[in-house]
Amino acid sequence: MRILSKIFAARVWQWILLLSAAVGSLFIGVADVSLWDILFADSERLGIFLVSRVPRLCSVLVAGSSLAISGLIMQRITRNRFVSPTTAGTMEWCRLGVMAAIIAFPDAPAILRVFVAFAVSLFGTSLFLTFVSRIEARSIVVVPLVGMMLGGVVNAASTFFAYQYDVVQNVASWLQGNFSLIIYGNYELLYLSVPFMIAAYLYADNFTIAGMGKGAATSLGLNHAGVVRVGLVIVSLVSSITIVEAGNIPFVGLIVPNIVSMFKGDNVKNILFDTAWLGAFLVLLCDVAGRLVLFPYEVPIGVILSVIGSAVFLALLLRGKRHA
Amino acid sequence: MIRLCNVTKRYGETVALSGVTLSLPTEKVVALIGSNGAGKSTALNIIGRLIPASAGTVEIDGKSLRDWKSNELAKRLAILGQTLYTPARLTVEELVAFGRFPHSRGNLGAADLRIIDDALEYTGISTLRGCFIDELSGGQRQIAYIAMAIAQDTKYILLDEPLNNLDMNKAAKIMKLLRTLVREKKRSVLLVIHDINFVSFYADYVVAFKNGALKYSGKTEDVIRSEVLRDVYDMEIAIKSYRDKRLCVYYE
Ligand SMILES: Nc1ncnc2c1ncn2[C@@H]1O[C@H](COP(=O)(O)OP(=O)(O)OP(=O)(O)O)[C@@H](O)[C@H]1O
Ligand SMILES: [Mg+2]
């Protein structure tokens, strides 16, 4: 109860904004569906609504909030604001995993792809963290650049194997995240991310303390390496689930926690809700924008977020430099 | 009681600490002194299990450091390192509240909140409680970390150069606070400190290191003497009487 009242306290405007954007998004699309049709149960229009629009909205909200939370966890356990699933190569490892699963088990269910992507990205992200802990110049900016470089290499390998095994078509659809293919019955795996968001809340203080450094964590009786491992598992799983169901949704985990941090600080427990909220809101806005800019055509959300995300990332880099 | 037996620390070729055997008195302010690189931080960090010893054993209250569960030890021993840096943007109050983590595991009760308030009050930073630590001055930030260690409310408090960045007034206040904690709450304080006049005025017991070896340990009045200090710091230090204390003069 206390948690619930905390979530609702003084957040009325946040709920209003999100809900109105959410409801609005239900009525935007190529097929014309109006409130009228829903109320009077025009069966064909209602069908579009329930099979396509509502699942799409749900998946946008879940993917946005869980990606933002993974980014927050990643930034705390690496103690670096510029590290996120996008800039640490996690997403690229996921994609490599998905492709490996497609090649090895072409007819396997989505859950198996998630599992392989999870295993591969957990391995890859751990490798990245070990690597950056070894390099000398651990500058705050060098770390994400190394991650993106490594991600590029992994990407090249994925593409190579995709050509080799003639699955380019399949893999291309994972290049740019896209919610337009989501319909009732094929997206429900995304809800697997929800328990991990709850786990993140229960583990929030551990992540904040890990972000204070190894010494502080040890002094407070925490096993720093253990917290990092738990964080990596959550981040890899959420990224894998999202990539398999919706494709690569870049930069959400990078920019959302940074924006929240400017206003509310970095205490994970305090900002978890705001991070999830802004992640969901941002992805929802971009998804709607994608439907509107070239109407009646759709721009994949991955493209829109890449543009917005890299611009904000650059701004953050410059700002970081000024504050250094 | 903290006991070191033959504790050695090597970093490749360098021997940071060589065969230190030592028992530290409880319910005292104990100062670790020595020149730069003498091994003070190494010793403190080994006792506070931030780094492992290469050889030898450390015992805390009769139990080897290895056998302590980390959360149980965190309720008994707090350590503040020499370099304090947190990239996370936390407010002073949030930082100090994390000192309660070993006890509360994140669910702060009324008693925890009172201890946090007290720690802020004692260290004189109540007015800064809502400020982000990355927007504080160096000394203010230092005090916030000290308040966090105090909020941990442990029997042993280990501090590595806690007076860094503090003005004389704040430094004296922190030392008096440590004395009060020893007297009223039966705490045992172990701190690395360079200003030997603060040692002379506020410490009960002094341990001196030189080149990784234990050089002297004893009551403050036995260690704050010209011949001992000359040996420890390789310089002439004159000792003057001031009230009932000794004042060290090291300017030429
Ligand atoms: N991580 C490390 N790697 C290699 N050598 C180290 C490391 N940490 C400390 N040393 C060496 O161990 C010796 C003791 O270092 P320590 O930090 O204990 O000195 P200190 O007495 O605390 O000095 P200061 O007063 O300057 O803080 C030094 O010679 C130092 O070079
Ligand atoms: Mg030192």
mmCIF file of all heavy atoms in Angstrom, chain A residues 3-36:
data_model
loop_
_atom_site.group_PDB
_atom_site.id
_atom_site.type_symbol
_atom_site.label_atom_id
_atom_site.label_comp_id
_atom_site.label_asym_id
_atom_site.label_seq_id
_atom_site.Cartn_x
_atom_site.Cartn_y
_atom_site.Cartn_z
ATOM 1 N N ILE A 3 3.779 1.580 -1.135
ATOM 2 C CA ILE A 3 4.400 1.742 -2.452
ATOM 3 C C ILE A 3 3.397 2.375 -3.408
ATOM 4 O O ILE A 3 3.708 3.330 -4.112
ATOM 5 C CB ILE A 3 4.858 0.366 -2.987
ATOM 6 C CG1 ILE A 3 5.950 -0.183 -2.086
ATOM 7 C CG2 ILE A 3 5.322 0.476 -4.421
ATOM 8 C CD1 ILE A 3 6.380 -1.590 -2.434
ATOM 9 N N LEU A 4 2.169 1.879 -3.366
ATOM 10 C CA LEU A 4 1.144 2.402 -4.269
ATOM 11 C C LEU A 4 0.896 3.880 -4.009
ATOM 12 O O LEU A 4 0.883 4.695 -4.935
ATOM 13 C CB LEU A 4 -0.156 1.622 -4.075
ATOM 14 C CG LEU A 4 -0.252 0.323 -4.875
ATOM 15 C CD1 LEU A 4 -1.631 -0.280 -4.723
ATOM 16 C CD2 LEU A 4 0.042 0.602 -6.344
ATOM 17 N N SER A 5 0.751 4.221 -2.728
ATOM 18 C CA SER A 5 0.455 5.618 -2.436
ATOM 19 C C SER A 5 1.632 6.502 -2.838
ATOM 20 O O SER A 5 1.468 7.629 -3.286
ATOM 21 C CB SER A 5 0.125 5.809 -0.953
ATOM 22 O OG SER A 5 1.239 5.472 -0.170
ATOM 23 N N LYS A 6 2.846 5.938 -2.713
ATOM 24 C CA LYS A 6 4.027 6.678 -3.141
ATOM 25 C C LYS A 6 3.982 6.938 -4.636
ATOM 26 O O LYS A 6 4.295 8.013 -5.115
ATOM 27 C CB LYS A 6 5.285 5.853 -2.821
ATOM 28 C CG LYS A 6 6.197 6.496 -1.788
ATOM 29 C CD LYS A 6 7.462 5.659 -1.730
ATOM 30 C CE LYS A 6 8.334 6.043 -0.558
ATOM 31 N NZ LYS A 6 9.340 5.010 -0.301
ATOM 32 N N ILE A 7 3.594 5.890 -5.374
ATOM 33 C CA ILE A 7 3.576 6.014 -6.831
ATOM 34 C C ILE A 7 2.554 7.070 -7.261
ATOM 35 O O ILE A 7 2.790 7.847 -8.171
ATOM 36 C CB ILE A 7 3.251 4.649 -7.480
ATOM 37 C CG1 ILE A 7 4.455 3.721 -7.330
ATOM 38 C CG2 ILE A 7 2.911 4.807 -8.958
ATOM 39 C CD1 ILE A 7 4.253 2.356 -7.909
ATOM 40 N N PHE A 8 1.419 7.106 -6.561
ATOM 41 C CA PHE A 8 0.382 8.009 -7.012
ATOM 42 C C PHE A 8 0.534 9.416 -6.451
ATOM 43 O O PHE A 8 0.014 10.371 -7.018
ATOM 44 C CB PHE A 8 -0.996 7.439 -6.664
ATOM 45 C CG PHE A 8 -1.384 6.324 -7.585
ATOM 46 C CD1 PHE A 8 -1.255 5.006 -7.216
ATOM 47 C CD2 PHE A 8 -1.820 6.619 -8.870
ATOM 48 C CE1 PHE A 8 -1.582 3.983 -8.085
ATOM 49 C CE2 PHE A 8 -2.145 5.595 -9.752
ATOM 50 C CZ PHE A 8 -2.028 4.270 -9.356
ATOM 51 N N ALA A 9 1.262 9.536 -5.347
ATOM 52 C CA ALA A 9 1.363 10.841 -4.697
ATOM 53 C C ALA A 9 1.994 11.861 -5.633
ATOM 54 O O ALA A 9 3.053 11.640 -6.188
ATOM 55 C CB ALA A 9 2.181 10.714 -3.417
ATOM 56 N N ALA A 10 1.315 12.956 -5.796
ATOM 57 C CA ALA A 10 1.848 14.106 -6.521
ATOM 58 C C ALA A 10 2.286 13.767 -7.935
ATOM 59 O O ALA A 10 3.106 14.438 -8.522
ATOM 60 C CB ALA A 10 3.021 14.710 -5.758
ATOM 61 N N ARG A 11 1.770 12.694 -8.480
ATOM 62 C CA ARG A 11 2.178 12.375 -9.836
ATOM 63 C C ARG A 11 0.982 12.456 -10.774
ATOM 64 O O ARG A 11 0.987 11.887 -11.853
ATOM 65 C CB ARG A 11 2.762 10.972 -9.894
ATOM 66 C CG ARG A 11 3.891 10.750 -8.920
ATOM 67 C CD ARG A 11 4.872 9.767 -9.501
ATOM 68 N NE ARG A 11 5.824 9.329 -8.502
ATOM 69 C CZ ARG A 11 6.990 9.890 -8.323
ATOM 70 N NH1 ARG A 11 7.341 10.940 -9.053
ATOM 71 N NH2 ARG A 11 7.818 9.438 -7.411
ATOM 72 N N VAL A 12 -0.031 13.147 -10.301
ATOM 73 C CA VAL A 12 -1.279 13.200 -11.066
ATOM 74 C C VAL A 12 -1.018 13.675 -12.486
ATOM 75 O O VAL A 12 -1.462 13.054 -13.448
ATOM 76 C CB VAL A 12 -2.277 14.138 -10.367
ATOM 77 C CG1 VAL A 12 -3.583 14.144 -11.126
ATOM 78 C CG2 VAL A 12 -2.475 13.706 -8.936
ATOM 79 N N TRP A 13 -0.248 14.747 -12.616
ATOM 80 C CA TRP A 13 -0.034 15.314 -13.963
ATOM 81 C C TRP A 13 0.710 14.333 -14.854
ATOM 82 O O TRP A 13 0.470 14.257 -16.043
ATOM 83 C CB TRP A 13 0.684 16.649 -13.883
ATOM 84 C CG TRP A 13 2.082 16.572 -13.356
ATOM 85 C CD1 TRP A 13 2.473 16.723 -12.063
ATOM 86 C CD2 TRP A 13 3.271 16.340 -14.113
ATOM 87 N NE1 TRP A 13 3.830 16.566 -11.963
ATOM 88 C CE2 TRP A 13 4.346 16.345 -13.208
ATOM 89 C CE3 TRP A 13 3.544 16.112 -15.475
ATOM 90 C CZ2 TRP A 13 5.665 16.126 -13.601
ATOM 91 C CZ3 TRP A 13 4.858 15.894 -15.865
ATOM 92 C CH2 TRP A 13 5.897 15.909 -14.923
ATOM 93 N N GLN A 14 1.613 13.550 -14.217
ATOM 94 C CA GLN A 14 2.335 12.572 -15.038
ATOM 95 C C GLN A 14 1.386 11.528 -15.598
ATOM 96 O O GLN A 14 1.482 11.147 -16.758
ATOM 97 C CB GLN A 14 3.424 11.889 -14.208
ATOM 98 C CG GLN A 14 4.678 12.747 -14.075
ATOM 99 C CD GLN A 14 5.664 12.154 -13.099
ATOM 100 O OE1 GLN A 14 5.296 11.809 -11.978
ATOM 101 N NE2 GLN A 14 6.909 12.040 -13.505
ATOM 102 N N TRP A 15 0.464 11.085 -14.740
ATOM 103 C CA TRP A 15 -0.508 10.090 -15.200
ATOM 104 C C TRP A 15 -1.406 10.678 -16.275
ATOM 105 O O TRP A 15 -1.710 10.029 -17.272
ATOM 106 C CB TRP A 15 -1.343 9.575 -14.024
ATOM 107 C CG TRP A 15 -0.602 8.596 -13.186
ATOM 108 C CD1 TRP A 15 -0.103 8.811 -11.932
ATOM 109 C CD2 TRP A 15 -0.234 7.255 -13.535
ATOM 110 N NE1 TRP A 15 0.551 7.691 -11.483
ATOM 111 C CE2 TRP A 15 0.486 6.714 -12.439
ATOM 112 C CE3 TRP A 15 -0.451 6.462 -14.660
ATOM 113 C CZ2 TRP A 15 0.992 5.430 -12.438
ATOM 114 C CZ3 TRP A 15 0.064 5.175 -14.663
ATOM 115 C CH2 TRP A 15 0.777 4.668 -13.553
ATOM 116 N N ILE A 16 -1.831 11.938 -16.061
ATOM 117 C CA ILE A 16 -2.737 12.560 -17.035
ATOM 118 C C ILE A 16 -2.063 12.652 -18.405
ATOM 119 O O ILE A 16 -2.620 12.270 -19.424
ATOM 120 C CB ILE A 16 -3.172 13.958 -16.547
ATOM 121 C CG1 ILE A 16 -4.057 13.805 -15.301
ATOM 122 C CG2 ILE A 16 -3.908 14.714 -17.650
ATOM 123 C CD1 ILE A 16 -4.455 15.114 -14.667
ATOM 124 N N LEU A 17 -0.801 13.134 -18.406
ATOM 125 C CA LEU A 17 -0.066 13.273 -19.660
ATOM 126 C C LEU A 17 0.064 11.940 -20.379
ATOM 127 O O LEU A 17 -0.240 11.819 -21.566
ATOM 128 C CB LEU A 17 1.339 13.793 -19.356
ATOM 129 C CG LEU A 17 1.605 15.276 -19.568
ATOM 130 C CD1 LEU A 17 3.027 15.613 -19.156
ATOM 131 C CD2 LEU A 17 1.392 15.625 -21.028
ATOM 132 N N LEU A 18 0.508 10.930 -19.613
ATOM 133 C CA LEU A 18 0.754 9.628 -20.220
ATOM 134 C C LEU A 18 -0.543 9.021 -20.732
ATOM 135 O O LEU A 18 -0.613 8.525 -21.854
ATOM 136 C CB LEU A 18 1.426 8.698 -19.205
ATOM 137 C CG LEU A 18 1.870 7.350 -19.747
ATOM 138 C CD1 LEU A 18 2.955 7.525 -20.791
ATOM 139 C CD2 LEU A 18 2.403 6.452 -18.621
ATOM 140 N N LEU A 19 -1.597 9.121 -19.895
ATOM 141 C CA LEU A 19 -2.868 8.506 -20.285
ATOM 142 C C LEU A 19 -3.460 9.188 -21.508
ATOM 143 O O LEU A 19 -3.960 8.517 -22.417
ATOM 144 C CB LEU A 19 -3.859 8.541 -19.111
ATOM 145 C CG LEU A 19 -3.582 7.494 -18.035
ATOM 146 C CD1 LEU A 19 -4.575 7.610 -16.890
ATOM 147 C CD2 LEU A 19 -3.629 6.089 -18.636
ATOM 148 N N SER A 20 -3.361 10.524 -21.550
ATOM 149 C CA SER A 20 -3.972 11.177 -22.705
ATOM 150 C C SER A 20 -3.191 10.855 -23.976
ATOM 151 O O SER A 20 -3.797 10.621 -25.034
ATOM 152 C CB SER A 20 -4.123 12.688 -22.481
ATOM 153 O OG SER A 20 -3.021 13.206 -21.804
ATOM 154 N N ALA A 21 -1.856 10.811 -23.854
ATOM 155 C CA ALA A 21 -1.070 10.425 -25.035
ATOM 156 C C ALA A 21 -1.403 8.995 -25.438
ATOM 157 O O ALA A 21 -1.528 8.675 -26.629
ATOM 158 C CB ALA A 21 0.420 10.552 -24.742
ATOM 159 N N ALA A 22 -1.584 8.140 -24.432
ATOM 160 C CA ALA A 22 -1.868 6.732 -24.718
ATOM 161 C C ALA A 22 -3.198 6.591 -25.432
ATOM 162 O O ALA A 22 -3.310 5.923 -26.472
ATOM 163 C CB ALA A 22 -1.866 5.932 -23.424
ATOM 164 N N VAL A 23 -4.225 7.263 -24.892
ATOM 165 C CA VAL A 23 -5.555 7.165 -25.503
ATOM 166 C C VAL A 23 -5.513 7.756 -26.905
ATOM 167 O O VAL A 23 -6.027 7.172 -27.868
ATOM 168 C CB VAL A 23 -6.593 7.896 -24.621
ATOM 169 C CG1 VAL A 23 -7.922 7.981 -25.350
ATOM 170 C CG2 VAL A 23 -6.757 7.155 -23.297
ATOM 171 N N GLY A 24 -4.836 8.894 -27.045
ATOM 172 C CA GLY A 24 -4.704 9.517 -28.363
ATOM 173 C C GLY A 24 -4.082 8.566 -29.371
ATOM 174 O O GLY A 24 -4.557 8.438 -30.507
ATOM 175 N N SER A 25 -3.043 7.862 -28.936
ATOM 176 C CA SER A 25 -2.315 6.981 -29.861
ATOM 177 C C SER A 25 -3.212 5.875 -30.403
ATOM 178 O O SER A 25 -2.978 5.352 -31.479
ATOM 179 C CB SER A 25 -1.101 6.370 -29.166
ATOM 180 O OG SER A 25 -1.479 5.249 -28.406
ATOM 181 N N LEU A 26 -4.254 5.526 -29.643
ATOM 182 C CA LEU A 26 -5.139 4.438 -30.078
ATOM 183 C C LEU A 26 -5.929 4.825 -31.316
ATOM 184 O O LEU A 26 -6.425 3.964 -32.038
ATOM 185 C CB LEU A 26 -6.102 4.070 -28.941
ATOM 186 C CG LEU A 26 -5.484 3.390 -27.722
ATOM 187 C CD1 LEU A 26 -6.522 3.218 -26.632
ATOM 188 C CD2 LEU A 26 -4.894 2.049 -28.108
ATOM 189 N N PHE A 27 -6.048 6.132 -31.558
ATOM 190 C CA PHE A 27 -6.894 6.567 -32.672
ATOM 191 C C PHE A 27 -6.078 7.101 -33.848
ATOM 192 O O PHE A 27 -6.595 7.765 -34.716
ATOM 193 C CB PHE A 27 -7.899 7.607 -32.175
ATOM 194 C CG PHE A 27 -8.816 7.039 -31.140
ATOM 195 C CD1 PHE A 27 -8.587 7.263 -29.780
ATOM 196 C CD2 PHE A 27 -9.877 6.221 -31.508
ATOM 197 C CE1 PHE A 27 -9.415 6.703 -28.825
ATOM 198 C CE2 PHE A 27 -10.706 5.662 -30.556
ATOM 199 C CZ PHE A 27 -10.472 5.901 -29.209
ATOM 200 N N ILE A 28 -4.763 6.823 -33.818
ATOM 201 C CA ILE A 28 -3.922 7.269 -34.928
ATOM 202 C C ILE A 28 -3.458 6.063 -35.718
ATOM 203 O O ILE A 28 -2.887 5.127 -35.153
ATOM 204 C CB ILE A 28 -2.690 8.032 -34.391
ATOM 205 C CG1 ILE A 28 -3.156 9.312 -33.714
ATOM 206 C CG2 ILE A 28 -1.733 8.356 -35.529
ATOM 207 C CD1 ILE A 28 -2.068 9.996 -32.944
ATOM 208 N N GLY A 29 -3.694 6.094 -36.993
ATOM 209 C CA GLY A 29 -3.264 4.972 -37.816
ATOM 210 C C GLY A 29 -3.925 5.060 -39.172
ATOM 211 O O GLY A 29 -4.749 5.955 -39.414
ATOM 212 N N VAL A 30 -3.518 4.130 -40.047
ATOM 213 C CA VAL A 30 -4.022 4.185 -41.421
ATOM 214 C C VAL A 30 -5.521 3.915 -41.454
ATOM 215 O O VAL A 30 -6.286 4.647 -42.066
ATOM 216 C CB VAL A 30 -3.271 3.180 -42.309
ATOM 217 C CG1 VAL A 30 -3.820 3.237 -43.730
ATOM 218 C CG2 VAL A 30 -1.793 3.490 -42.282
ATOM 219 N N ALA A 31 -5.936 2.855 -40.758
ATOM 220 C CA ALA A 31 -7.364 2.568 -40.693
ATOM 221 C C ALA A 31 -8.009 3.570 -39.756
ATOM 222 O O ALA A 31 -7.494 3.842 -38.677
ATOM 223 C CB ALA A 31 -7.591 1.146 -40.186
ATOM 224 N N ASP A 32 -9.128 4.127 -40.183
ATOM 225 C CA ASP A 32 -9.759 5.174 -39.412
ATOM 226 C C ASP A 32 -10.660 4.560 -38.345
ATOM 227 O O ASP A 32 -11.678 3.955 -38.650
ATOM 228 C CB ASP A 32 -10.582 6.038 -40.372
ATOM 229 C CG ASP A 32 -10.805 7.404 -39.785
ATOM 230 O OD1 ASP A 32 -10.195 7.680 -38.734
ATOM 231 O OD2 ASP A 32 -11.583 8.166 -40.373
ATOM 232 N N VAL A 33 -10.255 4.689 -37.116
ATOM 233 C CA VAL A 33 -11.074 4.166 -36.023
ATOM 234 C C VAL A 33 -11.392 5.334 -35.108
ATOM 235 O O VAL A 33 -10.484 6.031 -34.657
ATOM 236 C CB VAL A 33 -10.322 3.084 -35.217
ATOM 237 C CG1 VAL A 33 -11.209 2.556 -34.103
ATOM 238 C CG2 VAL A 33 -9.868 1.961 -36.124
ATOM 239 N N SER A 34 -12.655 5.566 -34.846
ATOM 240 C CA SER A 34 -12.998 6.678 -33.966
ATOM 241 C C SER A 34 -13.607 6.151 -32.676
ATOM 242 O O SER A 34 -13.981 4.982 -32.571
ATOM 243 C CB SER A 34 -13.991 7.613 -34.654
ATOM 244 O OG SER A 34 -15.220 6.931 -34.773
ATOM 245 N N LEU A 35 -13.702 7.050 -31.720
ATOM 246 C CA LEU A 35 -14.284 6.695 -30.432
ATOM 247 C C LEU A 35 -15.704 6.155 -30.642
ATOM 248 O O LEU A 35 -16.138 5.222 -29.981
ATOM 249 C CB LEU A 35 -14.298 7.938 -29.538
ATOM 250 C CG LEU A 35 -14.639 7.708 -28.066
ATOM 251 C CD1 LEU A 35 -13.688 6.715 -27.444
ATOM 252 C CD2 LEU A 35 -14.620 9.022 -27.315
ATOM 253 N N TRP A 36 -16.364 6.765 -31.596
ATOM 254 C CA TRP A 36 -17.732 6.385 -31.965
ATOM 255 C C TRP A 36 -17.820 4.893 -32.282
ATOM 256 O O TRP A 36 -18.680 4.179 -31.782
ATOM 257 C CB TRP A 36 -18.124 7.212 -33.189
ATOM 258 C CG TRP A 36 -19.600 7.266 -33.434
ATOM 259 C CD1 TRP A 36 -20.293 6.609 -34.414
ATOM 260 C CD2 TRP A 36 -20.560 7.999 -32.679
ATOM 261 N NE1 TRP A 36 -21.619 6.893 -34.323
ATOM 262 C CE2 TRP A 36 -21.828 7.741 -33.257
ATOM 263 C CE3 TRP A 36 -20.488 8.838 -31.554
ATOM 264 C CZ2 TRP A 36 -23.003 8.302 -32.764
ATOM 265 C CZ3 TRP A 36 -21.664 9.390 -31.080
ATOM 266 C CH2 TRP A 36 -22.895 9.123 -31.665
#
